[in-house]
Amino acid sequence: MGETNEMTPGSKQVWIVAGALMIGSVLLGPLLQVGSYLGPTGSLLSTLLIVVSMIMFAIGSERSTSVTARRPFGTAALIGLAVWTAVSTPVLDALAAPPGRGSMIGFGYVDLVITFVLAAIATTQIARAGIVPRPWHLAPLWVLVAAAAARVVQLVVVVAAGPDASRFAPFLSILDGLGGVVAPVFLGIIAIMLASRDVGVAAARRERES
């Protein structure tokens, strides 16, 4: 699955697991909502899955399965993004209820800046690492650009609409879904697809050589 690192047999199954966790982080919420047994715990579990997934992608089972090739700058940025996600998500959830809404807005801006900086570093380093094959090495960057564009549109709509911003709630919710639902599923599917393809290629190669 890399351009500069040789795949070891079965090693990139870590991508299959990490991709499944990323998809599971999206599916877990609605499934738990059906019975509402876990309440806020469901959100924490979803966050945990996405955090573990990002760390697995960053570290891999070896250098050839780390999407950043375990280069310190990119690896630290991706792990930092995972850690910040683990910290910021429950904080935002806690501040969402009154009387913390004012604090939530302020923390939301901080969260946006930190998340964007870490994500920008991580995605550019993934693109440069040479582990993920072309053109999919740019997929995380595509997701980042799309999420940033969606956030800009949200801000423009809210500012332009002013007191009537609530009328655009369905549209704003769709934009939220782009980053919170579509992006993890998209990246998870790509990871599973690429890992499955490379494992199959490696198996066929071993059969020919034996």
Side-chain angles (χ1 to χ4, degrees), residues 154-174:
Q154 282 180 309
L155 292 175
V156 170
V157 170
V158 170
V159 172
D164 297 326
S166 59
R167 294 170 51 190
F168 298 91
F171 175 67
L172 297 176
S173 297
I174 292 174

Side-chain angles (χ1 to χ4, degrees), residues 22 26 50 54 57 78 81 112 115-116 119-120 122-124 126-127 135-152 175-191:
M22 188 163 282
V26 173
I50 196 73
M54 285 192 286
F57 279 124
L78 188 52
L81 180 60
L112 177 62
T115 299
F116 180 79
T123 54
T124 53
I126 290 171
W136 305 112
H137 68 306
L138 294 176
L141 195 56
W142 298 339
V143 167
L144 177 61
V145 171
R151 184 60 63 92
V152 169
L175 292 178
D176 274 334
L178 180 64
V181 176
V182 177
V185 172
F186 174 66
L187 293 177
I189 290 175
I190 288 177

Side-chain angles (χ1 to χ4, degrees), residues 1-20:
M1 193 191 319
E3 298 173 357
T4 61
N5 296 275
E6 182 67 22
M7 184 187 72
T8 58
S11 65
K12 288 186 177 162
Q13 290 178 358
V14 67
W15 283 19
I16 296 177
V17 175

Side-chain angles (χ1 to χ4, degrees), residues 6-14 61-62 64-65 195 198-203 205-206 209:
E6 182 67 22
M7 184 187 72
T8 58
S11 65
K12 288 186 177 162
Q13 290 178 358
V14 67
S61 60
E62 56 190 42
S64 67
T65 58
D198 276 1
V199 169
V201 169
R205 183 189 306 154
R206 292 196 301 272
E209 293 174 351

